[in-house]
Amino acid sequence: MAKNYASRNIRGKLRVCNYLLKDAELRQYVPRTVSFSRSNLQMMTDAYSSIYVKPDIGSLGIGVCKVKRKGKGYELKAVDGKRQWSARYDSFSGLYQKLSGMKGKLIIQQGIKLDRVNGRPYDIRAMAQRRPGGNWVCTGYMVKVGAAKKIVTNYYQGGKVYTLGKLHRKLGLSVDEASRRERTLSSASLRIARSLCRRRSGMNEVGIDFARDSSGSLWVLEVNSNHPQFHPLKNIDPEAYQKMKRYASYYGRRTAK
């Protein structure tokens, strides 16, 4: 990475969520997200059939856990490196003891029942970039389709990468509906980038992970402002890749990773 990289970032998923919640236009996209504690874990497992516990600062899906109520107990699935494991807990205390032993600051997030393509959950990364001091532009999209039985969609965890057009074709969307969805993504990503930039001056790029739930509503799962990845697009969407790379070069980012 070039030493003169000139795009500041916002550290912490919970901080980003709280910033977005303060924006009346954007709070509709934010799933309920709280800091990890025993009382918050109890509250969230009571309120939702599934929740995610994840590192407040992390990437590549590493350390993400999914908790699902199973009868009077709980099912826990967790990502450790590239391995995913699962366990069953008959009591809340057992579940809390396991999760509280994880390293680093954690957050708890409302589980979203993701829309699926070919039977697999997916999310969509929208890249918003700008020349330093210039206007924000949505430079493209990368669709991440989860591997079988994985609780995360990341490419690093064995997921596949689609273009947005390929996703819409596989979903069987009409041209009008596909265009409407892309406009919604672009509009939301630019509003998010501008809103966060007001909170943290000097930001020049963000990768926003959107998801649609099974009813079609749009959610923001995560916003990555620390060198968001787009290199998997190099071979499947060279035009978008080159555009993202060109914008990245304006603020000193020399690699696509």
Side-chain angles (χ1 to χ4, degrees):
M1 185 62 61
K3 291 183 180 179
N4 63 336
Y5 178 67
S7 181
R8 300 177 75 187
N9 63 71
I10 300 174
R11 287 179 63 81
K13 297 179 177 68
L14 184 59
R15 179 177 294 172
V16 171
C17 287
N18 288 336
Y19 284 160
L20 296 180
L21 286 171
K22 292 177 181 177
D23 189 313
E25 289 187 346
L26 298 176
R27 64 174 62 116
Q28 62 181 307
Y29 301 122
V30 183
R32 192 174 185 183
T33 307
V34 297
S35 59
F36 181 84
S37 68
R38 185 184 181 100
S39 59
N40 278 345
L41 182 64
Q42 184 74 73
M43 178 266 293
M44 292 291 279
T45 53
D46 287 346
Y48 303 102
S49 60
S50 67
I51 60 168
Y52 281 83
V53 178
K54 58 179 76 171
D56 187 47
I57 299 174
S59 62
L60 305 176
I62 297 171
V64 173
C65 304
K66 182 178 183 180
V67 178
K68 194 171 185 178
R69 289 203 307 268
K70 289 286 186 178
K72 295 183 179 180
Y74 305 89
E75 178 186 68
L76 172 65
K77 294 183 179 180
V79 178
D80 182 6
K82 289 191 175 183
R83 182 178 70 93
Q84 181 173 294
W85 56 268
S86 61
R88 177 74 180 261
Y89 298 90
D90 294 328
S91 70
F92 174 80
S93 294
L95 173 69
Y96 171 72
Q97 183 176 11
K98 180 63 179 179
L99 291 173
S100 62
M102 295 178 64
K103 295 180 180 179
K105 181 181 178 181
L106 303 174
I107 62 170
I108 309 171
Q109 193 167 71
Q110 167 190 350
I112 305 298
K113 188 174 182 181
L114 300 185
D115 189 26
R116 291 176 174 256
V117 58
N118 291 341
R120 305 282 175 87
Y122 68 88
D123 61 52
I124 303 168
R125 169 159 295 181
M127 282 293 294
Q129 297 171 286
R130 66 174 188 165
R131 298 174 186 244
N135 293 326
W136 285 96
V137 176
C138 186
T139 50
Y141 310 93
M142 181 173 72
V143 180
K144 297 172 291 176
V145 182
K149 299 181 180 180
K150 285 289 186 82
I151 62 172
V152 294
T153 60
N154 302 65
Y155 179 74
Y156 178 79
Q157 299 294 341
K160 294 183 178 181
V161 177
Y162 289 0
T163 64
L164 188 63
K166 180 176 180 178
L167 170 70
H168 289 165
R169 289 192 296 273
K170 285 187 171 291
L171 291 176
L173 303 182
S174 67
V175 172
D176 287 347
E177 176 60 14
S179 295
R180 185 192 68 79
R181 289 193 179 194
E182 183 170 350
R183 287 194 302 272
T184 299
L185 285 171
S186 177
S187 176
S189 65
L190 294 177
R191 289 207 305 269
I192 289 168
R194 289 192 289 262
S195 179
L196 293 179
C197 192
R198 288 193 292 270
R199 301 281 180 178
R200 180 69 163 166
S201 63
M203 292 176 61
N204 292 309
E205 67 172 357
V206 290
I208 305 159
D209 291 340
F210 288 100
R212 290 191 181 276
D213 63 22
S214 53
S215 66
S217 296
L218 194 64
W219 298 89
V220 173
L221 299 182
E222 190 172 326
V223 179
N224 188 340
S225 58
N226 184 25
H227 311 121
Q229 291 189 6
F230 56 85
H231 70 278
L233 289 174
K234 184 173 183 178
N235 295 321
I236 67 169
D237 194 347
E239 183 177 352
Y241 171 81
Q242 290 299 331
K243 185 175 184 180
M244 293 174 191
K245 189 175 180 181
R246 185 171 70 253
Y247 268 83
S249 71
Y250 295 144
Y251 39 89
R253 185 172 175 179
R254 302 302 181 191
T255 69
K257 295 184 180 180

